[in-house]
Amino acid sequence: MTEDTIPHFEIGDALAMRCGNTLTASFVPGGSKIALSAYRPVKWSTPDAPSESAGEEPVLIYMAQETTLYTEPLLRSLLAETNAAFTTLQVLSQGPKGDAKKSIDYLKISRTYRSIIRCFLEKVEHAKKSPEVQENEATKERHTEAIYTFYAIECLWNLFEVLYIQQQHNQLIVGELLEWTRFHFPDTEDSATDLLLMAEEASECDNYWDTLKTLVMLGQLDVTRAILSQHRKFNQTVFQTADQVLKSMPVYQDGYAMQKFCSQWEYWHVDLERKLAAHVFATEPQLELLMQLISGSNKHWDAELVKSQDWYEFLPGYLLFTRPACKPFELRIAATNWINRWSGLRPNWKMTQLSRMIMQLMEHDIKLFIYEAQKLGDSHWFATHLIDLIYHSGQLNSYFEQQHIDLPSLRFSMIFEYGSYLMTSHKLWQLGIDYLDCCKQEGSAAIELLLTRIPLKSERQAFKIIAMAKERGLVNVEQSICKVLSKRAYADQRYGNALEWAMRSKDVLLVTAIADFILKHYSNTGVMLCPDVITSIGARMFVSPRLVFLTKYFEFYEFYRERDFLSGAELLVNLLASKITPDYFWPSLLIDALPLLESGDPKIFAKETIAILQHLELELVPIIERNKLNTAKFNNQSSKTVFSDYRVENVEEILDLMRLACARNLSRATIIENTAPEA
């Protein structure tokens, strides 16, 4: 990790320069953008008058957006995999706390997170070597940054797991720290592997003794013995003695009595110092130097420390040879003393963010560590998942209480912010829902707000969002999405889909508008749009009175096509009396009645004929007269009811035709109804 710096950028805005190089900014809703523009600072002494540049130049708005690592599909795969581990942890936390088995499960969850990170790093390393990435400088830089960031995260998580998650606060910690440094400083191990493959010829290499010294300082004694055994002089007494020293060094194992181990180690250490004092290894200066390092000689360690990459590289190895019984709570003092010693040897050294965070972990300063973790360029991925694991495991509850930190509130705020960030991404919003689900009412409100802002690319995506909204009881989200899809389908002239989505939205105005369009289209062209959809409406027609009228009129339309005139006539009369007929559709409805009235075999009885005549005089005629009055008085064409029907040119002509047809049908129906059947 490099030293953290504040991101900066330059804006060459002439208007802002004249205003004193001042800008104003505001967050753009629905994302992580900030809108910047020139701003004239107003004080109490500023004259209440326009500035000199007012109206002369346009105000330019600059959009600044936070950069993110997760622009590539491969980089986003990490978020998807860790989301599954996060969800598993939430399920695990539902059981009773304090169970030993659950503590082991928390350790498994932590190791799952780390294994995901390691697998991710391998994939990114492999992808970075591909020609596609190498040719694209921006993509290559993103891959490099991702490797850099998540390598540091894995290193920190591993150390945190060793110090705080594993149930070993009363046990020794040096062995775990040695494994930690071995994994994160692999260069020496690679060199050791090369030497082992060279067999006896390895002792002739220039880096032979330097590699052995580094292995000793890293605490890798087994590898050291293996390389020494390949030396051409290994059969000599001095090498055999050195090998015996390494072989006989006590190593603590679980279940071993602590007092007995300390006694054995002290005896071994005194014996080694006695051999060094007797110059047993003096004939081989390089071998003697190795033994001095193993004995913990400060003089020789200081000479080699200046070659180390960072302050913590050789700390576990030094503890192995000086304080092998070091426990977690003792590590704070040891780390503080070590870093002071290392800084004295490297006066020009500057601590990086990774070095600083490792120091905070070893010094048990978790509060500052979490603060620093939020500065990593991972969009708070590490801090969020780690604080969630801390909360569920309960390992540090006493620490947070002592620091007067409300751990549940801290976890809530971090998960809420991280989930909201994912929801603002068009490709990560599904992951964000799982995090916001953990935030109870606030999370539900955020989901309801953010789901409606997701750009809908397909109906498949819309169905997925609607299903998630239904699962959480977010009715408003479902209705809002349905309205958007309905209007989109209407604009694309897919009127059947538009009507379906409008009915699902239960928006009365939208359903009425689409039903009006279908009715007007029929009255103008005689073509009924989307008949399959209208047929399947069923009980959903009660969303809107206009949809009820459309559905019932379509039933009449079908009766007429099937030549079921009696059923059609009955339904037509009911529609005329229903009081839900739109004004513009009265001519079409009455014209539909004309063939039934002119039928030689009356299909409409006398009473219904009188009702039709009443509708003609009391409904259609007043509308026509009102249109004439509005046109003559106000010349307001927008207030007119536009009549049109594909079967007639002038709607007013049908008045006389309808009156005549009603009279004829009334006479025929009256005669038939009042004529007694023949005996």
Side-chain angles (χ1 to χ4, degrees), residues 217-371:
M217 297 178 75
L218 288 173
Q220 299 185 39
L221 300 185
D222 290 337
V223 182
T224 303
R225 286 187 62 204
I227 295 176
L228 277 177
S229 66
Q230 297 182 164
H231 198 280
R232 297 184 186 277
K233 299 179 181 180
F234 182 71
N235 293 328
Q236 295 180 8
T237 304
V238 63
F239 278 90
Q240 291 293 323
T241 304
D243 183 66
Q244 185 61 31
V245 169
L246 295 174
K247 182 179 179 182
S248 62
M249 179 178 176
V251 178
Y252 179 82
Q253 305 205 353
D254 291 339
Y256 206 69
M258 182 64 66
Q259 185 176 2
K260 185 177 181 180
F261 166 74
C262 292
S263 299
Q264 290 179 349
W265 186 87
E266 285 292 341
Y267 176 80
W268 170 86
H269 189 260
V270 170
D271 181 63
L272 175 58
E273 289 184 335
R274 182 182 58 79
K275 286 183 173 64
L276 289 170
H279 303 289
V280 173
F281 309 101
T283 57
E284 293 290 339
Q286 294 291 347
L287 186 60
E288 185 179 29
L289 177 56
L290 283 184
M291 295 299 106
Q292 291 285 3
L293 292 174
I294 293 173
S295 69
S297 172
N298 289 330
K299 174 184 175 182
H300 295 85
W301 272 85
D302 288 346
E304 299 297 330
L305 278 180
V306 294
K307 304 176 184 177
S308 58
Q309 300 178 33
D310 215 323
W311 72 267
Y312 55 89
E313 180 179 3
F314 296 139
L315 173 59
Y318 183 76
L319 292 176
L320 176 66
F321 302 124
T322 57
R323 298 181 62 183
C326 181
K327 298 177 181 177
F329 65 87
E330 299 173 333
L331 185 61
R332 176 189 303 181
I333 299 174
T336 302
N337 294 336
W338 181 262
I339 197 170
N340 291 335
R341 175 181 174 182
W342 200 84
S343 301
L345 297 172
R346 302 278 292 270
N348 297 325
W349 169 71
K350 292 183 179 180
M351 184 174 287
T352 64
Q353 186 178 11
L354 176 59
S355 301
R356 184 166 54 251
M357 294 178 71
I358 290 174
M359 179 188 68
Q360 291 159 1
L361 283 178
M362 291 188 176
E363 292 183 347
H364 202 58
D365 194 351
I366 307 301
K367 177 181 177 180
L368 194 56
F369 172 77
I370 294 174
Y371 173 75

Side-chain angles (χ1 to χ4, degrees), residues 634-667:
F634 304 104
N635 195 26
N636 184 5
Q637 298 299 320
S638 63
S639 64
K640 293 178 61 176
T641 301
V642 180
F643 294 122
S644 64
D645 190 274
Y646 67 98
R647 290 165 288 191
V648 296
E649 294 183 1
N650 188 354
V651 175
E652 296 184 15
E653 295 177 359
I654 70 171
L655 295 177
D656 294 334
L657 294 175
M658 285 296 300
R659 292 185 182 113
L660 182 59
C662 286
R664 291 175 178 173
N665 187 73
L666 183 61
S667 62

